[in-house]
Amino acid sequence: MGFVTKWYMADPHFGHEAALHWETTARHFGSTEEMDKAIVERVNERVGEKDLLFILGDFAVSSDPEYVAHVFHALRGRKVLILGNHDLDKKGNVKPALAGLPWDVPPVHAMETKDGGKRLGAPWESLQ
């Protein structure tokens, strides 16, 4: 495969009603669907269909698998999920709504990649 642009986003919390009311990051949307649509639009303004989109944890909080799949497919790019706490069930397994999506690689707890000749690790750690 030729040159691929890598993009990174963290903690989108798709479908997370409480995110609308967080005191530290006020979000002025009328609904989670409106907020999620705005996030998807901003990502899609930059990410191309063949680009890699690394999602650094907490992809979706919604318990509706159809909604989670809808948001996943609305995002452009080949998607890679580095698991966050909201991506796991109470037993520590990847939530079924996420596990069944066509990720570029299966969701993982940690990953290292190179970008611009520099090593990056997630969860983010100091790499030399």
Side-chain angles (χ1 to χ4, degrees), residues 36-37 47 49-50 54 66 70 104 119:
D36 295 348
K37 182 180 178 190
V47 176
E49 291 298 333
K50 295 182 182 179
F54 288 88
E66 289 180 15
H70 164 74
D104 198 60
R119 291 174 51 202

Side-chain angles (χ1 to χ4, degrees), residues 3-10 12 14 38-56 59 71-80 103-104 115:
F3 178 76
V4 172
T5 301
K6 294 180 181 178
W7 296 94
Y8 306 87
M9 69 182 299
F14 290 116
I39 294 169
V40 169
E41 287 173 355
R42 298 306 180 283
V43 169
N44 287 347
E45 287 172 2
R46 294 159 179 82
V47 176
E49 291 298 333
K50 295 182 182 179
D51 292 346
L52 270 172
L53 176 60
F54 288 88
I55 302 160
L56 309 177
F59 180 75
V71 174
F72 177 91
H73 291 293
L75 288 167
R76 288 190 187 146
R78 298 168 27 225
K79 294 166 272 302
V80 176
W103 300 97
D104 198 60
D115 196 349

